[in-house]
Amino acid sequence: MESAWVDTTLVLNINPCQSRTNKAMKREFVGEVADSGVKVPVKDESEVLVEELNRVSAENKKLTEMLTVLCEQYYALQHQFNELVSNNSRTEAAKISSKKRKAECEDYRTNNLIGFSGNTESSSSDEDSSKQPKDCLKPKISSVHVRTNPSDTSLIVRDGYQWRKYGQKVTRDNPCPRAYFRCSFAPSCSVKKKVQRSAEDPSILVATYEGEHNHDCAHNNAPAEPSLSPTNTGPAPVPSAQTKAAPPTVTLDLMQPARMEEDAKKPDQRIDAPAIRQLLVHQMAALLTRDPNFTAALAAAISG
DNA sequence: CGTCTTTGACCGGCGC
DNA sequence: GCGCCGGTCAAAGACG
């Protein structure tokens, strides 16, 4: 089945014009700065800044367009996938009528999961849930698959939140124990998380979240976890669903921003209006973080 | 000493 | 009603 996985590698090239403009800038500023003692500056600073602003605006526009296209493609794919899976689950449920409870929960979960979209609004709309089994009704359920080092036996999925383990149990259908976590960041937050290794692929941790956090991600308020490292290529979140039916794999290319960081350290690129760049990144982040599942997956990938 | 993890006991839902 | 199973509780121990 591995071969059927879709690798929708997400390369956030948030500075497509960088190399070109940097070279140009370098040339320009080498003339101005390096030999400043000898030469008169070709352009004055304000001109350069205006030019830079225009460039960044153009980049911003380009990025917005790219993001729009990406979103459209993403929703189209998600829609197709939803259709496929709902067809599958209908036939499966008919076959396995004996395992009623399991099938129903599985079905519900699948419907939720497909949506890696985080479209919890649509996938778990409570009005529609009259068909759902009672115990699957309550909180919003989503699940994230995280690929880990098989030798790592810990059942820890770092997703940016602070969890307190309150139980562990070996379940019937899986020899690997299942760990139960509760969100400990806010006492009023009733989100729960179950983490269990996949029976089929022990290198994959399946984290099932129940409920919604009523607070920000711990990273926003607390110091970053020690394990956070931009070079960490560890656990890549595998969007829910599924080891059975060709699950789409989102690979987050976290090296890209790291390279940019390096680039930013070079003296000749510091002129790159860091504030504007930061604004750009914030805009991107704001757009992307509208998808809660995406943020969860991203957090898991970063904190690996 | 406070917090977190571990782990056996307990409870409730479900199927037979 | 009974047994199975998943989920939760809570005491005990570990750890910083």
Side-chain angles (χ1 to χ4, degrees):
Chain A
M1 275 304 168
E2 294 272 340
S3 59
W5 284 28
V6 182
D7 183 9
T8 54
T9 302
L10 180 59
V11 180
L12 295 177
N13 183 10
I14 64 169
N15 207 352
C17 314
Q18 194 177 20
S19 55
R20 179 180 46 78
T21 43
N22 282 344
K23 278 176 196 165
M25 300 269 296
K26 204 185 255 180
R27 245 183 284 125
E28 192 177 310
F29 281 89
V30 162
E32 288 177 14
V33 182
D35 305 326
S36 58
V38 186
K39 290 186 182 179
V40 182
V42 183
K43 296 177 182 178
D44 71 286
E45 202 176 339
S46 66
E47 247 179 302
V48 174
L49 283 172
V50 168
E51 201 173 284
E52 178 63 14
L53 192 63
N54 289 336
R55 187 184 64 81
V56 173
S57 299
E59 274 179 32
N60 193 7
K61 201 174 168 185
K62 197 178 276 184
L63 281 167
T64 310
E65 287 168 9
M66 283 167 63
L67 204 58
T68 309
V69 173
L70 200 71
C71 287
E72 282 170 5
Q73 290 175 347
Y74 165 66
Y75 284 119
L77 271 172
Q78 182 199 331
H79 185 248
Q80 285 181 9
F81 193 46
N82 273 338
E83 281 182 355
L84 268 173
V85 173
S86 62
N87 286 343
N88 279 347
S89 59
R90 264 198 296 271
T91 51
E92 292 266 329
K95 282 179 192 171
I96 325 168
S97 57
S98 62
K99 294 184 178 178
K100 195 178 170 187
R101 189 171 82 178
K102 195 176 177 183
E104 281 174 345
C105 286
E106 220 52 271
D107 195 14
Y108 171 60
R109 222 171 69 194
T110 314
N111 282 337
N112 248 339
L113 296 186
I114 316 307
F116 173 60
S117 71
N119 249 347
T120 41
E121 293 88 352
S122 60
S123 59
S124 63
S125 61
D126 295 331
E127 290 76 19
D128 278 356
S129 51
S130 54
K131 283 184 261 173
Q132 318 294 344
K134 205 167 51 181
D135 54 346
C136 297
L137 251 178
K138 299 166 273 181
K140 288 178 181 175
I141 298 176
S142 61
S143 136
V144 175
H145 290 213
V146 179
R147 187 165 285 134
T148 62
N149 188 343
S151 59
D152 180 13
T153 54
S154 66
L155 288 169
I156 297 172
V157 175
R158 296 205 179 138
D159 50 15
Y161 291 97
Q162 200 177 333
W163 299 96
R164 178 193 176 88
K165 189 177 179 182
Y166 66 90
Q168 180 164 324
K169 194 93 178 172
V170 177
T171 57
R172 217 185 68 173
D173 54 344
N174 193 335
C176 305
R178 176 185 294 169
Y180 299 89
F181 297 89
R182 205 171 271 152
C183 181
S184 65
F185 186 70
S188 58
C189 182
S190 58
V191 180
K192 288 172 192 168
K193 177 171 83 165
K194 289 181 279 188
V195 181
Q196 188 172 31
R197 292 197 174 276
S198 167
E200 293 160 7
D201 185 353
S203 66
I204 291 180
L205 281 178
V206 182
T208 306
Y209 296 86
E210 289 180 23
E212 277 183 301
H213 294 279
N214 56 10
H215 55 87
D216 288 342
C217 174
H219 279 161
N220 294 344
N221 305 315
E225 292 181 37
S227 63
L228 275 180
S229 158
T231 55
N232 191 347
T233 55
V238 180
S240 43
Q242 321 23 341
T243 40
K244 287 174 189 169
T249 300
V250 173
T251 307
L252 297 172
D253 189 349
L254 299 172
M255 302 308 288
Q256 206 73 11
R259 265 181 251 132
M260 279 184 53
E261 288 267 315
E262 274 177 38
D263 287 350
K265 285 175 191 162
K266 295 178 188 171
D268 53 310
Q269 287 172 17
R270 219 169 280 174
I271 320 154
D272 244 28
I276 296 174
R277 178 182 288 189
Q278 206 177 352
L279 186 71
L280 202 70
V281 171
H282 277 293
Q283 282 184 350
M284 292 265 315
L287 281 165
L288 289 168
T289 52
R290 280 178 197 166
D291 183 333
N293 276 358
F294 177 84
T295 51
L298 184 60
I302 293 170
S303 58

